Amino acid sequence: MERTFRELKSTLDLRPIYHWKDRRVRAHVMVCFLALVLESAFYRYLKLAGSQVEYLYLMRDLKNLKAVELTLEGIRYLCRTELPGNAFQAFKALGIGVPNHVRIIN
């Protein structure tokens, strides 16, 4: 149990919560729990895929992946940056195709 709380505080970068209503506190805890479940599943997929990339470095690379919405001549586009570092490993492990560099969103 202690390891789980330490994991929540460090990896998920939790901050103190400022909710006073029971409903909001429960919702906040549920969101944190779901984030932990998703993180555990993601970690497991990486291991099953044989990824040698350290998890924290991979998460840093994914945080550096950005998308920008542009509108040119009335058409909306979503443009993403190059995949930084080992970000491709995450897509590969999850079986998700890498998004196109540019895509129309209208």
Side-chain angles (χ1 to χ4, degrees):
M1 187 70 141
E2 189 65 33
R3 183 181 148 293
T4 303
F5 284 118
R6 190 171 44 249
E7 184 80 13
L8 275 171
K9 287 168 55 179
S10 64
T11 308
L12 296 177
D13 197 23
L14 290 180
R15 303 275 187 253
I17 62 171
Y18 300 100
H19 301 296
W20 289 272
K21 294 183 179 181
D22 285 348
R23 186 184 63 153
R24 289 186 179 177
V25 171
R26 281 193 303 272
H28 183 88
V29 170
M30 179 57 110
V31 167
C32 293
F33 176 74
L34 288 174
L36 182 63
V37 168
L38 288 173
E39 180 183 43
S40 297
F42 181 48
Y43 185 77
R44 190 172 57 251
Y45 273 100
L46 287 170
K47 290 301 174 193
L48 289 173
S51 177
Q52 299 297 315
V53 180
E54 195 168 327
Y55 181 78
L56 291 176
Y57 293 134
L58 183 57
M59 292 306 293
R60 180 200 60 207
D61 290 341
L62 287 172
K63 284 182 183 179
N64 288 323
L65 181 61
K66 307 291 183 202
V68 177
E69 185 178 321
L70 301 171
T71 303
L72 298 170
E73 298 179 8
I75 301 172
R76 292 175 41 215
Y77 298 91
L78 190 62
C79 306
R80 73 159 172 85
T81 60
E82 291 293 327
L83 293 178
N86 293 297
F88 176 75
Q89 295 296 319
F91 290 94
K92 181 179 172 185
L94 295 172
I96 299 172
V98 177
N100 294 331
H101 280 283
V102 178
R103 135 182 119 97
I104 297 174
I105 55 176
N106 271 2

